[in-house]
Amino acid sequence: LPIWYRRSAEGGYFRGQYNWASVLLRDGRIGEAAVWLEHAAAGGTPGVRRAVRDLVRAHPALHALGERLGDDAPAVAA
């Protein structure tokens, strides 16, 4: 399944970008995940942008991404 998320992300599909970023986060690949989350937020629906913001808030390591996305809410402690 993750291979399809990656392919979908690389193909420019915002939901694939979000899902692939989630896989990368689970694997501890924070920097790579942040790039895909930023792409997903840029091209996604309002619901996907909310999901990205929620994910960013839940992962303190993504604080810088939250700032770039204009998310001023503090990250939740892990």
Side-chain angles (χ1 to χ4, degrees), residues 4-58:
W4 296 111
Y5 289 159
R6 190 191 83 215
R7 288 182 181 174
S8 179
E10 290 170 347
Y13 184 50
F14 61 87
R15 284 190 174 92
Q17 293 165 341
Y18 176 85
N19 291 332
W20 180 233
S22 297
V23 169
L24 293 169
L25 276 176
R26 183 190 66 212
D27 292 345
R29 297 162 62 182
I30 305 300
E32 292 173 80
V35 170
W36 288 113
L37 287 170
E38 194 160 10
H39 286 302
T45 63
V48 169
R49 287 192 296 272
R50 275 191 303 277
V52 168
R53 283 193 303 271
D54 291 346
L55 197 56
V56 166
R57 286 183 187 125

